């Protein structure tokens, strides 16, 4: 107990976040095991976790590094395709599902990190709106590039083309792994809620520890005052690149989760386009920029909301948008914040009066 | 202060619990397969995009299925069971499609008409196979859509259409130099193109130009048209949907390029495009299972009802969905389904009889199915003459 009191405020806040995730996990597991969970909810568990990881990882770029990135879905796309390709190719070689999935996740993280470095080197020289626009463009480029890839394997090895499947020139025994716009089909379904929650915890630990480290402080100093940071000898490009790459690689992990939850993987504007990037950004902004716990909660709520509104049929996207606007106002509008403060003060006053009386 | 925090925590937990439990309860009550007035029901689910860019296809499927359900219910239902139809939106996204499928499972769906689009269908088919739910896709044409034993389809598969088109052009000696303009970002289009190209070699057709476009730039086709023209194509094969095809026809006309045009079932609907000069579509040939202006009784009645109810002419997606409901009815009657069967039992009963039934529908007469889920029906080739389809 004493330890808890002397604990650093940051550490305490982080512990609350971890505890929250674990408690939520336990509650949900109880519902699943006792069979009280609807199949819709059960099917949503892994996607929700995927979006939580995406939101948390983007919060690193937006909240801690202070740069607006609109290409986050592109890194998710890289991770998704890299891991799905590995799983499909190794389906017969590695029998153990869990082992194969873990390797796939690592591959996703590494490949997305590589993409992050490649994109980061030119992009991070820019700042503000310019950076946002260029990341948006890179996100789209990644998606369109993957849409043009044809990859097959036969007895002679791998065949690659950017044109069509005939151009691969494979033997009769060949199988096409990536089929251009049709993407990858037949990814084994390995994503489970337990693995997803463990990945959320790992992401949170990585990000929280990074933020409270020497590197994290350097990154935040760049956010707060670039010139001052540079003048005390902080290598701006290096620290920016570190934060950006970690953010990208965690997005890749989320991509692996996504890919192994569905048997089909296509890079459509819907799932890996800028719509998705903006969606993740909405989670981050709504949850509070720089606030990891907020991102987790916002991602959970906003992923569940459209599905819970299914009863409203065609009106649900309309209602969803209205709810978004209201939530945004409630969280960020100065008037609302004043109003909230006033109400809180009033409640406190009433309580005090009650006690005194 | 501490008490208050604790209290709010407990309250939040309780709220979450009731939220989740509420969903669970819905599942329980869905087992009672009766309507409010006590008669037995058979629950059919449908999935398709009713919002977003592909909404036109999903809406058509929902409408087509609804008409069939209304007709069957008015005529006494399946084995005395009234059909209840529940349509869910998937926004043409595989993830949302699985959510829609799970929603329908909670509702107590006994058979699925869906999903409308190929990509989503592959994902949902895997889920349906795991749950052993009967799946009949009206328009999921990719090969993998029916990879599992429990999945069947109404439309032609992409490879079948590609091969049939190449054979038709080759055997009837229509053209020897062919250009293809296709949508490389679309599963349907690139699927047909690949098989067409493979079969074209066997038919002695030379593909002089194969020009792709993607969903991101499908308004200006001058480059593709110019290349086809320069290559000296006698015929342009368009395995695409009618919206883009109408633009291609108009732009080819402006460029002074007048080859023959040949398309697949995606071209059906081209005569209904707004502000499109239908004289441009004169002599366009297409393979389609359904023509809205066919003169048989069934089609006439369907088109009239559809027009009256939804104020537009149905396309082949609506016809496929209409047939799908009737196919389920035929199979259910053959299997002698009774009220209150679980989805898994329904699937076990329907799958073996699917290969035994023969259905006359809007999209083909005497349709039969093989065990792998493919339908067997003859594609109809039609030519547009004076603004209407005429059989070739």
């Amino acid at each position: 107990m004493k330890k808890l009191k002397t604990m650093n405020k940051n550490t305490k806040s982080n512990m609350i976040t971890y505890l929250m995730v674990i408690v939520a996990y336990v509650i949900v597991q109880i519902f699943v095991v006792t069979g009280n969970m609807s199949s819709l909810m059960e099917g949503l568990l892994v996607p929700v976790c995927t979006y939580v990881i995406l939101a948390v990882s983007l919060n690193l770029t937006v909240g801690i590094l202070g740069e607006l990135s609109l290409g986050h879905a592109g890194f998710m796309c890289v991770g998704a395709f890299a891991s799905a390709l590995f799983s499909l190719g190794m389906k017969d070689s590695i029998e153990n599902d869990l082992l194969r999935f873990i390797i796939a996740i690592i591959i996703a993280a590494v490949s997305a990190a590589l993409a992050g470095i490649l994109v980061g080197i030119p992009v991070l020289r820019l700042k503000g709106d310019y950076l946002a626009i260029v990341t948006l463009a890179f996100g789209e480029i990644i998606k369109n590039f993957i849409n043009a890839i044809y990859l097959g394997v036969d007895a002679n090895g791998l065949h690659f083309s950017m044109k069509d499947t005939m151009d691969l020139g494979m033997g009769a025994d060949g199988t096409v792994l990536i089929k251009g716009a049709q993407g990858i089909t037949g990814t084994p379904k390995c994503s489970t809620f337990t693995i997803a929650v463990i990945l959320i915890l790992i992401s949170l630990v990585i990000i929280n520890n990074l933020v409270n480290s020497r590197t994290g402080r350097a990154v935040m100093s760049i956010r707060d005052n670039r010139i001052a940071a540079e003048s005390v000898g902080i290598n701006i490009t290096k620290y920016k690149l570190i934060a950006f790459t970690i953010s990208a690689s965690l997005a890749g992990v989320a991509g692996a989760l996504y890919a192994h939850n569905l048997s089909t993987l296509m890079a459509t504007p819907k799932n890996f386009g800028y719509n998705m990037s903006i969606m993740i950004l909405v989670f981050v902004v709504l949850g509070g920029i720089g606030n990891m716990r907020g991102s987790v909660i916002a991602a959970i709520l906003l992923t569940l909301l459209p599905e819970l509104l299914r009863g409203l049929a065609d009106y649900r996207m309309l209602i969803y948008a209205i709810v978004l606007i209201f939530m945004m106002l409630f969280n960020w509008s100065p008037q609302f914040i004043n109003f909230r403060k006033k109400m809180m003060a009033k409640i406190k006053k009433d309580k005090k009066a009650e006690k005194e009386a | 202060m501490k008490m208050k925090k604790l209290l709010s925590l407990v309250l939040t937990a309780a709220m979450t619990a009731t939220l989740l439990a509420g969903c669970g309860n819905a599942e329980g009550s869905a087992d009672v397969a009766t309507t409010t007035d006590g008669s037995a029901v058979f629950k059919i689910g449908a999935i398709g995009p009713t919002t977003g860019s592909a909404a036109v296809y999903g809406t058509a499927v929902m409408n087509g299925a609804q008409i069939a359900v209304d007709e069957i219910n008015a005529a006494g239902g399946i084995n005395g069971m009234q059909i209840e139809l529940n349509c869910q939106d998937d926004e043409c996204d595989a993830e949302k499609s699985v959510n829609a499928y799970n929603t329908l499972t909670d509702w107590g769906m006994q058979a699925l008409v869906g999903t409308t689009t190929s990509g989503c269908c592959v994902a949902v088919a895997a889920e349906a196979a795991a749950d052993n739910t009967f799946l009949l896709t009206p328009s999921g044409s990719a090969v993998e859509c029916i990879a599992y034993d429990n999945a069947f389809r109404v439309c032609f598969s992409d490879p079948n259409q590609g091969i049939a088109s190449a054979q038709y052009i080759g055997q009837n000696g229509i053209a020897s130099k062919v250009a293809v303009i296709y949508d490389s970002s679309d599963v349907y289009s690139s699927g047909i193109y690949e098989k067409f190209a493979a079969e074209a070699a066997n038919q002695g057709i030379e593909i002089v130009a194969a020009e792709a476009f993607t969903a991101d730039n499908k308004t200006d086709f001058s480059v593709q048209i110019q290349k086809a023209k320069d290559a000296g194509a006698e015929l342009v094969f368009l395995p695409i949907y009618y919206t883009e095809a109408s633009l291609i026809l108009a732009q080819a006309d402006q460029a002074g390029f007048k080859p023959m045009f040949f398309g697949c079932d995606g071209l059906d609907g081209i005569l209904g495009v707004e502000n499109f000069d239908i004289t441009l579509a004169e002599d366009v040939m297409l393979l389609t299972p359904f023509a809205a202006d066919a003169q048989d009784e069934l089609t006439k009645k369907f088109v009239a009802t559809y027009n009256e109810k939804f104020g537009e002419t149905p396309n082949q997606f609506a016809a496929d969905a209409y047939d799908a409901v009737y196919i389920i009815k035929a199979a259910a009657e053959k299997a002698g389904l009774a009220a209150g069967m679980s989805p898994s039992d329904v699937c076990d009963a329907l799958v073996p009889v699917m290969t035994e039934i023969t259905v006359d529908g809007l999209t083909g007469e005497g349709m039969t199915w093989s065990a792998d889920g493919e339908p067997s029906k003859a594609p109809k080739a039609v030519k547009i003459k004076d603004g209407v389809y005429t059989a070739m």
Side-chain angles (χ1 to χ4, degrees):
Chain A
M1 214 52 207
K2 207 173 178 187
K3 212 172 168 190
L4 203 72
K5 270 195 183 138
T6 53
M7 216 185 226
N8 184 319
K9 201 176 148 211
N10 273 331
T11 326
K12 211 160 143 188
S13 158
N14 293 346
M15 285 300 160
I16 292 175
T17 313
Y18 304 147
L19 200 70
M20 200 183 77
V21 174
I22 293 167
V23 168
Y25 170 72
V26 171
I27 292 176
V28 169
Q29 276 299 6
I30 290 172
F31 272 100
V32 172
V33 171
T34 54
N36 272 321
M37 195 80 136
S38 66
S39 23
L40 173 66
M41 281 293 164
E42 227 176 311
L44 276 171
L45 292 178
V46 175
V48 164
C49 294
T50 311
Y51 293 120
V52 167
I53 297 177
L54 282 170
V56 169
S57 63
L58 184 64
N59 210 341
L60 179 61
T61 311
V62 176
I64 310 302
L65 179 61
E67 295 290 4
L68 192 60
S69 166
L70 295 178
H72 214 54
F75 300 120
M76 177 191 177
C77 183
V78 171
F81 272 83
S83 62
L85 184 62
F86 171 80
S87 290
L88 193 63
M90 292 291 154
K91 217 174 184 172
D92 305 319
S93 317
I94 305 176
E95 295 278 322
N96 187 334
D97 269 357
L98 186 66
L99 178 69
R100 173 160 28 82
F101 188 40
I102 290 172
I103 301 175
I105 290 171
I106 295 169
I107 288 177
V110 171
S111 55
L114 280 177
I117 294 173
L118 282 179
V119 173
I121 290 171
V123 164
L124 290 173
R125 293 182 187 280
L126 306 166
K127 55 186 169 188
D129 302 347
Y130 301 102
L131 186 135
I133 292 166
V134 177
T135 49
L136 176 70
F138 267 106
E140 290 296 298
I141 290 171
I142 291 174
K143 188 197 87 200
N144 282 321
F145 177 71
I146 285 180
N147 261 335
I149 292 180
Y150 290 84
L151 188 71
V153 64
D154 66 0
N156 298 327
L158 288 172
H159 295 255
F160 177 83
S161 160
M162 298 288 283
K163 201 161 163 270
D164 50 41
T165 32
M166 278 89 69
D167 201 46
L168 291 172
M170 285 194 303
D173 61 330
T175 47
V176 183
L177 296 175
I178 304 181
K179 217 172 170 186
Q182 300 177 51
I184 297 176
T185 314
T187 325
K189 189 172 176 166
C190 299
S191 296
T192 62
F193 183 49
T194 310
I195 296 177
V197 168
I198 294 172
L199 289 176
I200 291 182
L201 287 175
I202 294 175
S203 318
L204 283 171
V205 168
I206 291 176
I207 292 176
N208 283 332
N209 281 332
L210 178 83
V211 171
N212 295 326
S213 70
R214 188 189 160 90
T215 316
R217 283 188 293 276
V219 170
M220 284 186 282
S221 73
I222 298 171
R223 172 192 70 187
D224 294 338
N225 194 329
R226 186 190 159 101
I227 297 166
E230 211 164 9
S231 69
V232 293
I234 288 173
N235 185 340
I236 304 257
T237 314
K238 177 182 149 195
Y239 285 110
K240 267 182 149 182
L241 203 57
I242 288 176
F244 195 72
T245 307
I246 292 175
S247 168
S249 95
L250 289 177
V253 171
L257 263 184
Y258 179 91
H260 289 77
N261 190 40
L262 298 167
S263 66
T264 165
L265 181 65
M266 292 194 281
T268 62
K270 194 100 207 173
N271 56 4
F272 296 130
Y274 75 95
N275 278 330
M276 175 63 96
S277 299
I278 302 265
M279 180 90 157
I280 306 166
L281 190 65
V282 168
F283 297 156
V284 173
V285 174
L286 208 62
I289 292 175
N291 182 348
M292 295 303 158
R293 202 189 310 158
S295 294
V296 175
I297 296 171
I300 295 174
L301 283 182
L302 292 185
T303 316
L304 291 182
L305 194 59
E307 295 304 328
L308 294 179
L309 289 177
R310 261 186 193 279
L312 300 169
D314 286 354
Y315 297 103
R316 74 192 169 101
M317 284 335 251
L318 191 74
I319 304 283
Y320 176 69
I322 293 172
V323 171
L324 262 190
I325 293 170
F326 270 105
M327 281 170 83
M328 208 62 101
L329 280 177
F330 184 74
N331 270 356
W332 294 103
S333 148
Q335 281 101 328
F336 260 103
I337 292 172
N338 272 339
F339 177 73
R340 253 168 33 204
K341 270 188 189 151
K342 254 191 226 157
M343 290 310 278
M344 287 299 268
K346 211 178 162 192
I347 292 167
K348 263 185 194 163
K349 224 170 143 188
D350 285 353
K351 271 252 170 93
K352 229 178 193 175
E354 236 171 69
K355 257 184 197 167
E356 275 164 12
Chain B
M1 197 59 206
K2 225 173 200 170
M3 266 313 283
K4 207 169 119 195
K5 250 190 185 165
L6 196 72
L7 187 73
S8 61
L9 246 176
V10 172
L11 280 177
T12 324
M15 262 168 68
T16 328
T18 44
L19 182 83
L20 295 171
C23 304
N25 287 344
E27 187 180 26
S29 61
D31 290 336
V32 187
T34 51
T35 51
T36 39
D37 61 347
S39 60
V41 294
F42 186 71
K43 293 185 164 184
I44 295 181
I47 301 174
T50 55
T51 56
S53 57
V56 59
Y57 312 124
T59 315
V61 164
M62 310 288 166
N63 293 347
Q66 188 63 51
I67 289 178
V69 167
D70 289 347
E71 282 179 14
I72 294 172
N73 281 345
I78 301 174
N79 294 342
M81 294 181 281
Q82 291 283 301
I83 303 177
E84 225 178 286
L85 182 71
N86 187 344
C87 303
Q88 290 294 334
D89 179 23
D90 69 1
E91 302 167 36
C92 201
D93 181 41
E95 189 191 326
K96 298 277 156 47
S97 210
V98 172
N99 291 345
Y101 169 78
N102 284 328
T103 308
L104 289 171
T105 314
D106 291 336
W107 171 70
M109 168 181 66
Q110 288 163 294
L112 173 65
V113 173
T115 68
T116 305
T117 47
S118 292
C120 299
C121 195
V122 178
V124 170
E127 299 291 324
D131 295 349
N132 198 26
T133 304
F134 182 77
L135 181 148
L136 178 67
T137 170
S139 48
S141 51
V143 184
E144 294 87 357
C145 287
I146 52 166
Y148 303 94
D149 290 339
N150 61 327
F152 294 83
R153 75 168 125 232
V154 181
C155 62
F156 294 114
S157 69
D158 297 335
N160 279 350
Q161 290 204 44
I163 293 169
S165 303
Q167 283 171 347
Y168 194 86
I169 295 170
Q171 283 163 8
N172 292 309
I174 296 175
S176 58
K177 285 185 166 184
V178 174
V180 186
I181 301 178
Y182 70 103
D183 182 350
S184 65
S185 67
D186 184 50
V187 181
Y188 164 79
S189 190
S190 46
I192 295 179
Y193 161 66
E194 278 175 13
K195 290 296 166 183
F196 177 83
E199 182 64 22
N202 304 335
Q203 297 291 340
I205 302 170
E206 187 193 350
I207 296 184
V208 289
E211 296 305 317
F213 63 92
T214 63
D216 295 332
N217 49 11
K218 53 179 182 185
T219 46
D220 181 15
F221 297 99
S222 47
V223 178
Q224 288 92 336
I225 290 168
Q226 200 55 46
K227 278 196 177 164
K229 191 180 176 187
D230 293 346
E234 301 162 10
L235 181 144
V236 176
F237 180 53
L238 303 173
I240 52 178
Y241 288 119
Y242 61 88
T243 354
E244 291 85 48
S246 65
L247 292 171
I248 291 179
L249 288 177
Q251 290 172 14
D253 184 61
Q254 279 163 16
F257 181 41
K258 293 194 183 344
M260 291 180 279
F261 288 98
F262 194 99
C264 292
D265 56 3
L267 280 201
D268 176 43
I270 193 161
L271 296 176
V273 178
E274 269 177 52
N275 298 326
F276 175 66
D277 179 6
I278 55 170
T279 53
L280 292 176
E282 196 65 26
D283 290 336
V284 168
M285 289 168 275
L286 58 144
L287 285 185
T288 176
F290 171 73
D293 33 18
Q295 291 305 311
D296 59 299
E297 275 307 305
L298 198 59
T299 311
K300 269 179 160 170
K301 194 174 124 215
F302 174 68
V303 173
T305 320
Y306 198 98
N307 248 324
E308 184 193 321
K309 269 202 157 148
F310 307 107
E312 53 188 20
T313 308
N315 55 16
Q316 59 132 344
F317 286 85
D320 282 331
Y322 178 88
D323 279 358
V325 175
Y326 271 100
I327 290 160
I328 290 181
K329 175 177 184 271
E333 279 170 356
K334 178 111 185 170
L337 290 190
M341 284 170 83
S342 76
S344 181
D345 291 341
V346 168
C347 183
D348 288 338
L350 289 183
V351 169
V353 297
M354 274 305 282
T355 51
E356 296 164 16
I357 56 169
T358 308
V359 179
D360 289 332
L362 292 169
T363 61
E365 277 178 15
M367 288 184 275
T368 54
W369 282 263
S370 57
D372 60 5
E374 292 287 357
S376 144
K377 53 182 176 182
K380 288 182 221 163
V382 297
K383 194 169 193 171
I384 297 174
K385 274 267 179 239
D386 301 326
V388 289
Y389 291 157
T390 43
M392 283 170 72

